[in-house]
Amino acid sequence: MAKKKTTGPGAPESVAAQTPWGGRFEEVPDEIMQQFGASLPFDQRLCDEDIFGSLAHAAMLASQGILTEDEFQLIEDGLQSIQVDIDEGVFAWDITDEDVHMAIESALVGRIGEVGKKLHTGRSRNDQVATDLRLAVKAATEILVILIDGLCAVLEQRAAEHKDVIMPGYTHMQKAQPVLLADHLGAYVAMLQRDALRMELAYDAADMNVLGSGALAGTSHPIDRDLTTELLGFREVGENTLDGVSDRDFVLDLLYACSVCQMHLSRLSEELILWSTEEFGFVTFSDATSTGSSIMPQKKNPDFAELIRGKTGRVYGNLLALLTTMKGLPLAYNKDMQEDKEPFFDSVDTVLDSLNVMLSIMESITFHTDIMRKAAGGGFMVATDLADYLVGKGMAFRDAHEVVGKLVLKCEREGKTLQQLGAKDYAKICDLFEPDVLDWVDIEKSVARRHRDA
Ligand code: ARG
């Protein structure tokens, strides 16, 4: 990071040679300032979007006669050669460049000479970076939605494999009513489908062309914003140029969608971790998706599910970080907004990784359906069915609730389950109980009664 020095021996002739704003300045910022202000280490990732945006901008300038055909050809060839080098991993990033935009522009000038400087006509880095970021958000949401769909498919597949398996359903972490494992897994499919919808809303919010906003007030050059909209694949032109350079709502929308998605993955992780304990014994993680202990030979740890749960904190943090960065910003562009990139990249990376990890976990986890079924037999889980039975015989639900409550208390005192009582025992408690009550304490029938339409 140390090339910029203006005074003393070896100082270059002009600041202009070292910065994009040289004319008005006699000194360049100190090295610490340059390091502090640089975004290249993290915004390099926008290079494909930046080149794509520049190609569209240059094509538009040529079609408007602002660049000659020859100038455009040189610029296009130059940008394409940079893209090839980047793709092949041989592009030499100059770490003294401030950001990805300057790095690519100075490489272009290095390759094609002075004409490269014409690329920035009618454009500012302010609308350039906003355009790049919109393209990147759109691309990220598309990948996120594909992975979400993939995880839903695995969950549905596992549910189909175990479609009749009964397990305890819980409220307050206490056994509540018997449910189907397929429905439990289906709840996560429902959550993830909503996540995909939220991602698509972020895509829509990003899908607006702000190139042409200039620094904040548009440009006097006769640009054609409809053409860049078409070339870049945006839905529409963003008309308000101040908003164009200072809006980051679309990033926040994605960070929120990522936060909710990660929260869902965290809840699923938490359940699997709990279910894998000896106390529950409902599932066993595959060897490939768990780890051992370096000291306790018997251990099998659900590290990766724990990490999904743990990483939720950083995904929430990224949303809060950008909300906070944005909250005090006057219009229009402020350098604060450079802080949008790391949270964006980090949340997308974290959620993509977590989706991939969860996919492997769910594909390979073993469900101990016999243990689940056994657990569904305990805990007086058909008590609600018994109350419903009495309601069917004409009793008010509140009274039925009390009668069954007393029955449960009696069973608890005598160490019995509801299934162990005979028809006569029931009749003794309440004369509305007839022999068909035994059907109502049957776990399979309890589930079937609540799945009439299934
Ligand atoms: N690196 C900057 C960012 O990410 C690009 C825009 C810089 N604009 C400026 N006027 N300094 O926000």
Side-chain angles (χ1 to χ4, degrees):
M1 249 301 157
K3 82 173 177 199
K4 328 230 161 153
K5 189 168 184 347
T6 46
T7 54
E13 268 158 32
S14 81
V15 182
Q18 306 170 62
T19 67
W21 55 78
R24 190 219 176 283
F25 281 74
E26 291 177 338
E27 261 188 304
V28 296
D30 294 343
E31 200 177 317
I32 174 93
M33 302 298 159
Q34 289 173 31
Q35 272 179 22
F36 193 66
S39 53
L40 186 62
F42 52 84
D43 71 12
Q44 271 181 39
R45 279 181 62 164
L46 291 173
C47 57
D48 291 351
E49 288 81 5
D50 200 69
I51 292 173
F52 184 52
S54 286
L55 284 167
H57 181 66
M60 181 278 292
L61 292 177
S63 110
Q64 293 298 96
I66 302 169
L67 288 178
T68 67
E69 259 321 300
D70 288 350
E71 288 170 335
F72 170 61
Q73 262 324 308
L74 282 168
I75 290 174
E76 187 180 44
D77 293 349
L79 287 170
Q80 277 167 352
S81 78
I82 292 171
Q83 181 72 65
V84 169
D85 286 0
I86 290 174
D87 291 346
E88 288 175 0
V90 296
F91 182 74
W93 293 98
D94 180 349
I95 56 151
T96 62
D97 283 314
E98 182 187 332
D99 56 26
V100 65
H101 324 294
M102 296 318 305
I104 288 170
E105 192 180 315
S106 50
L108 180 69
V109 174
R111 289 179 190 208
I112 67 170
E114 291 296 295
V115 62
K117 294 182 182 169
K118 291 199 172 184
L119 171 63
H120 212 51
T121 311
R123 179 176 84 166
S124 156
R125 276 187 297 160
N126 298 353
D127 57 347
Q128 188 178 354
V129 70
T131 305
D132 292 2
L133 206 54
R134 282 173 181 274
L135 293 169
V137 165
K138 285 176 65 179
T141 55
E142 282 179 334
I143 300 170
L144 282 160
V145 169
I146 290 171
L147 280 198
I148 289 174
D149 288 349
L151 179 54
C152 285
V154 170
L155 287 166
E156 278 166 347
Q157 161 71 28
R158 300 309 312 263
E161 281 166 28
H162 298 291
K163 77 179 176 35
D164 297 322
V165 172
I166 293 175
M167 62 172 291
Y170 300 83
T171 63
H172 313 267
M173 271 312 285
Q174 307 293 314
K175 284 184 179 177
Q177 291 185 283
V179 296
L180 291 176
L181 171 60
D183 286 340
H184 200 111
L185 296 176
Y188 285 99
V189 174
M191 294 179 219
L192 288 163
Q193 283 172 343
R194 291 194 298 274
D195 291 328
L197 278 180
R198 270 183 284 271
M199 303 282 175
E200 278 157 11
L201 289 177
Y203 180 101
D204 288 345
D207 198 10
M208 192 175 82
N209 183 21
V210 297
L211 191 62
S213 299
L216 77 167
T219 171
S220 56
H221 295 285
I223 59 171
D224 178 354
R225 299 191 64 197
D226 289 330
L227 180 56
T228 51
T229 300
E230 194 190 317
L231 293 174
L232 294 173
F234 284 113
R235 187 188 60 229
E236 61 187 347
V237 176
E239 296 293 347
N240 189 299
T241 57
L242 282 98
D243 186 49
V245 293
S246 62
D247 168 29
R248 293 294 183 270
D249 295 359
F250 59 100
V251 185
L252 290 168
D253 289 346
L254 181 59
L255 292 182
Y256 172 66
C258 283
S259 296
V260 180
C261 183
Q262 189 73 23
M263 179 268 284
H264 290 150
L265 295 175
S266 180
R267 291 181 71 177
L268 178 53
S269 299
E270 167 64 13
E271 292 214 288
L272 297 177
I273 293 163
L274 207 59
W275 289 2
S276 73
T277 58
E278 197 178 322
E279 287 73 8
F280 268 82
F282 287 2
V283 296
T284 303
F285 283 82
S286 67
D287 285 0
T289 61
S290 51
T291 59
S293 158
S294 53
I295 172 167
M296 297 164 283
Q298 87 285 10
K299 290 293 292 291
K300 190 166 187 187
N301 295 329
D303 279 32
F304 307 111
E306 290 171 273
L307 267 177
I308 291 175
R309 190 177 60 186
K311 283 175 188 288
T312 309
R314 66 197 285 163
V315 178
Y316 291 0
N318 290 333
L319 171 62
L320 259 292
L322 186 58
L323 278 170
T324 311
T325 293
M326 296 302 294
K327 87 174 182 62
L329 298 188
L331 292 177
Y333 176 83
N334 299 272
K335 183 76 164 180
D336 313 46
M337 290 158 71
Q338 182 165 286
E339 289 292 307
D340 56 8
K341 285 163 206 69
E342 288 155 295
F344 160 57
F345 291 135
D346 186 63
S347 280
V348 171
D349 290 347
T350 305
V351 177
L352 285 176
D353 286 349
S354 301
L355 285 164
N356 268 322
V357 169
M358 185 53 84
L359 190 119
S360 296
I361 290 174
M362 290 311 306
E363 262 173 353
S364 61
I365 205 160
T366 305
F367 293 103
H368 300 298
T369 56
D370 45 340
I371 298 180
M372 289 183 165
R373 172 62 189 81
K374 195 157 170 260
F380 307 104
M381 303 250 285
V382 291
T384 311
D385 300 70
L386 282 180
D388 287 342
Y389 171 89
L390 291 175
V391 169
K393 303 275 174 185
M395 192 181 273
F397 184 77
R398 288 290 164 221
D399 296 332
H401 186 285
E402 195 184 330
V403 169
V404 178
K406 285 195 178 128
L407 184 62
V408 167
L409 191 62
K410 178 178 148 66
C411 283
E412 240 172 15
R413 286 198 179 127
E414 295 172 7
K416 286 186 178 157
T417 67
L418 290 168
Q419 287 79 12
Q420 283 167 341
L421 300 182
K424 282 191 191 135
D425 300 315
Y426 279 104
K428 255 188 257 166
I429 297 286
C430 171
D431 56 13
L432 289 178
F433 281 128
E434 293 174 47
D436 65 340
V437 66
L438 299 184
D439 264 3
W440 287 69
V441 296
D442 181 281
I443 303 286
E444 271 70 22
K445 286 182 181 156
S446 160
V447 173
R449 263 193 302 274
R450 285 176 282 108
H451 273 79
R452 276 187 214 113
D453 51 358

